[in-house]
Amino acid sequence: MPTNLAIDEKLLEEALRISGLKTKKNTVNEALREFIQRRRQKDIISLFGKIEMDESYDYKRERSRRGPRKIEDFLG
């Protein structure tokens, strides 16, 4: 979807240089992915200390029953 944005040229050039990516489009897309990932991590971190741990929970038993899972299974 074509979009016109007024992006700070200095920031974009620095991001392009630091990322090593070849195009501005790829640099902006990567920056957006990283932004989203960090915000989701921040949401998860905010839960630390708020969730009670079940001492009887056996994560190894649960892992073998269900198989490997992805973080996306837990995020909305």
Side-chain angles (χ1 to χ4, degrees):
M1 157 174 61
T3 303
N4 290 327
L5 299 172
I7 298 176
D8 184 318
E9 197 63 34
K10 287 182 182 178
L11 286 175
L12 184 54
E13 289 299 325
E14 184 176 1
L16 191 61
R17 181 179 53 79
I18 289 172
S19 71
L21 296 169
K22 303 236 184 261
T23 67
K24 291 178 180 181
K25 178 183 175 180
N26 288 344
T27 302
V28 170
N29 285 331
E30 180 64 21
L32 289 171
R33 280 190 286 275
E34 287 184 24
F35 176 82
I36 292 166
Q37 181 182 20
R38 287 186 178 274
R39 289 297 170 112
R40 286 181 175 167
Q41 288 172 346
K42 186 178 174 184
D43 291 343
I44 291 170
I45 289 171
S46 72
L47 296 175
F48 288 159
K50 295 181 181 177
I51 300 174
E52 292 184 31
M53 184 171 162
D54 180 359
E55 297 294 331
S56 66
Y57 178 72
D58 183 355
Y59 73 93
K60 289 181 180 178
R61 182 173 53 90
E62 290 294 321
R63 184 185 303 158
S64 64
R65 259 186 13 183
R66 294 186 201 182
R69 298 183 73 188
K70 298 177 187 174
I71 189 70
E72 290 82 14
D73 295 341
F74 300 97
L75 301 175

